[in-house]
Amino acid sequence: MEKLDACIRNHDKEIEKMCNFHHQGFVDAITELLKVRTDAEKLKVQVTDTNRRFQDAGKEVIVQTEDIIRCRIQQRNITTVVEKLQLCLPVLEMYSKLKEQMTAKRYYSALKTMEQLENVYFPRVSQYRFCQLMIENLPKLREDIKEISMSDLKDFLESIRKHSDKIGETAMKQAQQQKTFSVALQKQNNVKFGKNMYLNDRIPEERKEIELKQGFEEEDENEEEILTVQDLVDFSPVYRCLHIYSVLGDEETFENYYRKQRKKQARLVLQPQSNMPETVDGYRRYFTQIVGFFVVEDHILHVTQGLVTRAYTDELWNMALSKIIAVLRAHSSYCTDPDLVLELKNLIVIFADTLQGYGFPVNRLFDLLFEIRDQYNETLLKKWAGVFRDIFEEDNYSPIPIVNEEEYKAVISKFPFQDPDLEKQSFPKKFPMSQSVPHIYIQVKEFIYASLKFSESLHRSSTEIDDMLRKSTNLLLTRTLSSCLLNLIRKPHIGLTELVQIIINTTHLEQACKYLEDFITNITNISQETVHTTRLYGLSTFKDARHAAEGEIYTKLNQKIDEFVQLADYDWTMSEPDGRASGYLMDLINFLRSIFQVFTHLPGKVAQTACMSACQHLSTSLMQMLLDSELKQISMGAVQQFNLDVIQCELFASSEPVPGFQGDTLQLAFIDLRQLLDLFMVWDWSTYLADYGQPASKYLRVNPNTALTLLEKMKDTSKKNNIFAQFRKNDRDKQKLIETVVKQLRSLVNGMSQHT
């Protein structure tokens, strides 16, 4: 408060100082005002007098001025009327022009006129009633224009739906002609094509057939003008409709309607044809409709702004592509004809190339072609399985006879056979293989041609095509041909002679595989030394077939031996042998000799194995005949007769029916029989029993069980035999000896059983 009081006192002092400073000026101003008062009163009197005299003088001027004002108002009103009429006349003229445009169906111009009326003319005369009527009528006119343009659009959509197949056919034809031209140029540049001695001019012809064999019947280019999509379809309705809706500000509605309707049409187009699995015409119509649909969309994309976008067409194409692949995958699975599958492939390639030319991605279609390629190979394999079966059925399984040089060259031209010894022989002569070998070789090449047809135009490198051809050829060899060979080998009517010829045939086919590899190499121009080149598996295929044929030879040979052995009719109670070998056995030996003569064309080991197997089987069969449980009695005379038969077997073995055996190797097949019969013929039981189990035993291969079984059968025969009636004492002695040996053998057998 003290500080506040001090501050107040300071301010009071400053105010006082200021008042003192201005006081003299205030006094001077008052003095001046007092001096002016007198002059002001004089001036007031003079002004009042002057105003009175001026009012009196202006009364006549006022009257004349009012007359002038009335005239000016009338003149202004006339000018205003003229201006208003001049303002209304253009509006009326524009509205009249609008009516004329509507009558002439110039709807886009009519909409532009409406815009001018609304934006330029109506605002000038909006206060008049006739203008309000015109303004109220414009929305109705716009709706009429929208309905009319939409009707035109519907007619356009119906038109392109009907003409989509023709549009697609034209587009695919143009793509095909372009492709044919490109391939022709490529052929001229590919000078290395077809240089192999076994590769004739057929490959270019085949390629030409692939390119020209399409479903479309093309006329001469000089006689028929190539049509474009604009020539086939009038797009003006969609342009007008788009412009109209753009002017109306409802472009989004039009775009949504157009896209919705086109999607519906796309779903209809993508529905498969009812006859697709049976004929190529169904696939062709299916593809042409789809191509026509997307050609129209591509045209709309490039000539309109925003009606369809690249994102929209890509989405539509991806949806269509998934449906197309599903349809083709489902329907192509029913195709069993390779020609139909090949035509389908050609259509898919042209279909893909056409749409790829319009900017649509088609990689998935070529991936599908790889699936169809596998199916095509399967149909080819089935077809060639029938071809191979027919070849095998028609073959006579005998060497190919040739009587002159022409026949020799004819065979050489079909099959790459090289044998200097055969060339030196004079006519007539024979090729070692039968007729089926060149036929099979030709058919394998035909299969490669057929497989090549599908591999072309897939936009793959030569290396990939080479790999495809080799893999499909491997399937033909390892699965189809191998299966046909195995089925042929197992057929009941195929005899030993035919089996021998089959083995010879497979040997030559195996040797020809390298020529097939050269053949593929010359087609694809891919060297066999390439790291990733697939090799043909003909070696293993024909080796397996040979092994199967060899096994079948052994089986059939043993079966034949069993048939002869079943003809044996021994008198097991005979007292004396006939002095000669049995007839069935001599027939069997003669048969074996003739068969082994045929085996001379076989590889040495095969013939030796077959001979050894036959001798072992014969020895086993004879042994089983002696030890048959149904055989109860055997006389010594029967044993002697049996021994004569075994001697003939040994003589056959020692005659070396098949060359290549060392020493007595083949005779060892009968060693078990020989030692057993020697034991009974010599009756050397003491030596047998004494040396049993010794490595140097004379009867090492005689089993005690076998000897006991045979001896018991002879024992029963001795009891009932009356031949020894005159020599009662010898009979009794021999009977005792047999019983003694039987006891010793049983003891030996029982000891062996306990030891075991």
Side-chain angles (χ1 to χ4, degrees):
M1 291 301 293
E2 291 176 357
K3 289 182 179 181
L4 182 61
D5 290 340
C7 184
I8 291 172
R9 287 192 296 271
N10 291 333
H11 282 291
D12 289 341
K13 290 178 181 180
E14 291 177 358
I15 293 171
E16 186 177 354
K17 289 178 180 180
M18 187 174 292
C19 289
N20 292 334
F21 178 78
H22 293 288
H23 180 263
Q24 185 60 41
F26 178 72
V27 172
D28 293 339
I30 294 298
T31 303
E32 289 292 331
L33 286 174
L34 290 175
K35 291 179 179 180
V36 173
R37 175 186 294 178
T38 302
D39 294 334
E41 289 178 353
K42 292 179 180 180
L43 179 63
K44 180 179 178 182
V45 172
Q46 291 177 359
V47 169
T48 303
D49 183 59
T50 302
N51 180 57
R52 180 180 57 77
R53 288 187 283 110
F54 183 78
Q55 290 293 334
D56 292 340
K59 289 181 179 179
E60 294 181 0
V61 176
I62 291 173
V63 173
Q64 294 178 0
T65 301
E66 289 177 351
D67 292 339
I68 292 174
I69 290 173
R70 284 195 299 271
C71 291
R72 292 288 178 88
I73 291 174
Q74 291 176 356
Q75 185 179 7
R76 185 179 60 193
N77 289 341
I78 292 172
T79 303
T80 302
V81 170
V82 171
E83 290 176 355
K84 296 300 182 181
L85 288 176
Q86 289 177 347
L87 191 64
C88 291
L89 282 176
V91 176
L92 295 175
E93 290 175 356
M94 289 296 292
Y95 195 79
S96 176
K97 179 181 178 181
L98 172 63
K99 289 293 186 179
E100 292 176 358
Q101 289 171 342
M102 291 292 295
T103 304
K105 297 182 179 181
R106 296 165 55 196
Y107 301 115
Y108 181 73
S109 300
L111 289 174
K112 288 296 183 181
T113 303
M114 290 183 195
E115 284 187 355
Q116 290 181 340
L117 286 170
E118 289 178 329
N119 298 328
V120 179
Y121 294 98
F122 283 166
R124 300 174 184 173
V125 295
S126 59
Q127 67 273 25
Y128 303 113
R129 189 173 60 180
F130 78 88
C131 179
Q132 296 299 325
L133 294 176
M134 291 179 180
I135 292 174
E136 292 174 0
N137 194 35
L138 290 186
K140 182 178 181 301
L141 292 177
R142 284 193 173 93
E143 289 300 323
D144 292 343
I145 291 174
K146 286 178 68 174
E147 291 178 1
I148 293 171
S149 61
M150 185 58 69
S151 176
D152 291 342
L153 177 65
K154 291 178 180 179
D155 294 340
F156 166 78
L157 293 175
E158 181 65 21
S159 173
I160 60 175
R161 188 187 68 82
K162 292 180 179 179
H163 292 86
S164 60
D165 55 346
K166 182 63 176 177
I167 297 170
E169 181 179 349
T170 302
M172 292 176 71
K173 185 183 296 184
Q174 294 172 1
Q176 179 187 358
Q177 291 172 351
Q178 180 64 31
K179 178 183 175 183
T180 304
F181 178 73
S182 300
V183 171
L185 290 179
Q186 184 179 4
K187 283 183 183 179
Q188 293 177 0
N189 296 329
N190 193 1
V191 296
K192 295 182 179 180
F193 205 84
K195 290 186 177 181
N196 187 275
M197 61 179 295
Y198 298 108
L199 183 62
N200 51 29
D201 293 334
R202 176 172 179 172
I203 294 175
E205 295 175 1
E206 293 285 345
R207 291 194 173 192
K208 185 176 180 181
E209 291 176 5
I210 293 173
E211 296 158 0
L212 298 181
K213 188 179 180 181
Q214 307 295 338
F216 305 112
E217 297 180 356
E218 299 182 7
E219 298 183 3
D220 192 349
E221 295 180 1
N222 297 326
E223 298 178 358
E224 179 180 358
E225 182 182 0
I226 298 178
L227 300 177
T228 63
V229 64
Q230 293 90 340
D231 298 326
L232 298 173
V233 178
D234 179 16
F235 286 93
S236 58
V238 72
Y239 301 152
R240 287 196 303 268
C241 197
L242 176 61
H243 291 159
I244 288 170
Y245 273 79
S246 300
V247 172
L248 294 174
D250 203 9
E251 186 176 1
E252 184 177 356
T253 300
F254 172 72
E255 291 174 1
N256 293 336
Y257 176 81
Y258 176 83
R259 295 180 184 182
K260 181 180 178 181
Q261 294 300 317
R262 289 297 280 164
K263 283 184 178 180
K264 288 182 179 180
Q265 290 186 348
R267 294 188 182 96
L268 292 175
V269 167
L270 293 172
Q271 291 298 323
Q273 303 292 324
S274 59
N275 62 339
M276 279 180 61
E278 293 85 9
T279 62
V280 73
D281 292 334
Y283 290 105
R284 181 183 297 112
R285 180 171 176 79
Y286 182 67
F287 287 133
T288 54
Q289 287 182 343
I290 296 173
V291 170
F293 178 89
F294 282 100
V295 167
V296 170
E297 288 304 290
D298 181 76
H299 181 77
I300 295 293
L301 172 66
H302 287 88
V303 299
T304 60
Q305 296 295 330
L307 179 56
V308 295
T309 62
R310 174 57 66 183
Y312 162 78
T313 55
D314 289 344
E315 177 187 357
L316 199 61
W317 169 246
N318 290 331
M319 180 271 291
L321 190 57
S322 299
K323 179 66 175 178
I324 292 168
I325 291 174
V327 169
L328 292 178
R329 186 178 285 127
H331 285 75
S332 63
S333 61
Y334 297 105
C335 296
T336 57
D337 182 9
D339 295 333
L340 178 59
V341 178
L342 184 62
E343 290 181 352
L344 173 60
K345 169 257 175 182
N346 292 331
L347 280 176
I348 294 175
V349 169
I350 296 176
F351 173 74
D353 289 343
T354 303
L355 289 176
Q356 190 176 33
Y358 286 92
F360 295 98
V362 295
N363 292 335
R364 292 173 61 189
L365 284 174
F366 284 101
D367 293 338
L368 174 66
L369 282 175
F370 275 86
E371 298 180 21
I372 299 178
R373 181 202 64 187
D374 296 336
Q375 180 187 346
Y376 175 72
N377 285 336
E378 290 297 325
T379 58
L380 285 182
L381 292 175
K382 291 180 181 178
K383 178 180 179 180
W384 256 258
V387 172
F388 289 147
R389 283 194 296 268
D390 293 340
I391 291 174
F392 290 141
E393 289 178 1
E394 295 172 0
D395 194 9
N396 57 6
Y397 298 99
S398 58
I400 303 175
I402 47 176
V403 296
N404 52 44
E405 186 71 21
E406 292 181 358
E407 293 183 0
Y408 181 84
K409 290 181 178 179
V411 176
I412 292 297
S413 64
K414 297 177 182 177
F415 183 76
F417 179 82
Q418 296 179 358
D419 186 358
D421 295 335
L422 183 64
E423 292 179 3
K424 294 176 182 178
Q425 295 179 13
S426 58
F427 294 101
K429 51 188 176 182
K430 294 182 179 180
F431 283 99
M433 65 277 186
S434 64
Q435 288 286 354
S436 63
V437 172
H439 291 332
I440 290 174
Y441 183 79
I442 292 173
Q443 287 303 319
V444 172
K445 291 173 66 176
E446 292 290 335
F447 178 87
I448 296 173
Y449 284 133
S451 183
L452 176 65
K453 290 179 182 179
F454 197 95
S455 300
E456 290 184 331
S457 305
L458 294 185
H459 305 294
R460 299 291 174 178
S461 65
S462 298
T463 303
E464 291 175 300
I465 294 177
D466 181 86
D467 187 62
M468 294 178 196
L469 291 180
R470 292 178 185 274
K471 286 182 178 179
S472 58
T473 306
N474 277 331
L475 283 177
L476 179 72
L477 296 176
T478 58
R479 197 169 76 184
T480 304
L481 182 55
S482 176
S483 177
C484 291
L485 281 171
L486 293 177
N487 291 334
L488 173 67
I489 290 168
R490 296 190 182 103
K491 286 186 176 181
H493 69 275
I494 297 297
L496 292 170
T497 305
E498 288 82 359
L499 289 171
V500 171
Q501 188 61 54
I502 289 173
I503 292 176
I504 297 172
N505 290 348
T506 55
T507 302
H508 290 285
L509 287 173
E510 178 184 331
Q511 295 171 354
C513 283
K514 63 179 181 179
Y515 297 100
L516 291 176
E517 289 190 343
D518 294 338
F519 177 72
I520 296 175
T521 298
N522 281 275
I523 289 178
T524 60
N525 290 327
I526 299 298
S527 174
Q528 297 183 34
E529 285 72 24
T530 304
V531 176
H532 301 290
T533 301
T534 304
R535 301 297 178 184
L536 295 185
Y537 301 144
L539 180 64
S540 59
T541 298
F542 297 118
K543 186 177 293 184
D544 293 341
R546 267 201 310 279
H547 289 166
E550 292 167 7
E552 197 69 19
I553 285 177
Y554 306 150
T555 302
K556 288 186 178 294
L557 193 57
N558 292 342
Q559 291 175 352
K560 200 67 177 179
I561 291 173
D562 292 339
E563 293 176 4
F564 278 101
V565 171
Q566 289 174 2
L567 298 176
D569 187 18
Y570 286 102
D571 181 6
W572 297 108
T573 60
M574 63 169 45
S575 57
E576 295 292 337
D578 293 339
R580 63 181 182 275
S582 302
Y584 85 92
L585 188 70
M586 298 306 299
D587 293 340
L588 172 58
I589 291 174
N590 292 332
F591 167 76
L592 292 177
R593 289 185 188 280
S594 62
I595 285 297
F596 291 144
Q597 285 294 325
V598 178
F599 284 7
T600 55
H601 298 291
L602 289 176
K605 292 184 178 180
V606 177
Q608 294 171 14
T609 304
C611 184
M612 177 59 76
S613 173
C615 291
Q616 289 176 345
H617 186 73
L618 177 57
S619 175
T620 302
S621 299
L622 293 175
M623 181 69 77
Q624 290 175 351
M625 190 185 302
L626 281 176
L627 303 178
D628 189 2
S629 59
E630 295 182 0
L631 179 60
K632 303 300 182 181
Q633 300 177 5
I634 299 178
S635 65
M636 180 56 70
V639 172
Q640 292 172 350
Q641 180 63 40
F642 201 81
N643 182 58
L644 292 175
D645 293 344
V646 173
I647 291 173
Q648 290 299 322
C649 294
E650 292 172 330
L651 291 174
F652 169 73
S654 62
S655 65
E656 197 175 7
V658 173
F661 286 106
Q662 296 180 357
D664 298 335
T665 302
L666 192 58
Q667 298 180 47
L668 293 177
F670 301 97
I671 189 64
D672 292 355
L673 271 174
R674 171 48 51 214
Q675 291 186 7
L676 179 64
L677 291 175
D678 285 349
L679 178 60
F680 278 86
M681 294 294 294
V682 180
W683 210 254
D684 194 6
W685 292 103
S686 58
T687 303
Y688 173 74
L689 294 173
D691 295 343
Y692 179 75
Q694 299 297 324
S697 174
K698 181 179 179 181
Y699 305 103
L700 181 63
R701 304 299 294 268
V702 178
N703 188 287
N705 278 319
T706 304
L708 178 61
T709 302
L710 185 57
L711 192 59
E712 286 181 339
K713 293 180 180 183
M714 294 184 67
K715 172 184 173 184
D716 294 338
T717 304
S718 299
K719 289 181 179 179
K720 298 179 181 180
N721 199 339
N722 295 325
I723 297 176
F724 300 101
Q726 300 175 0
F727 311 99
R728 190 71 60 181
K729 186 176 182 301
N730 292 337
D731 185 23
R732 288 197 301 268
D733 293 342
K734 189 166 186 178
Q735 186 66 30
K736 288 180 181 180
L737 179 59
I738 291 175
E739 291 177 355
T740 301
V741 174
V742 167
K743 290 179 181 180
Q744 292 177 344
L745 288 174
R746 283 177 180 169
S747 175
L748 184 60
V749 170
N750 292 333
M752 291 173 59
S753 300
Q754 293 176 0
H755 178 70
T756 303

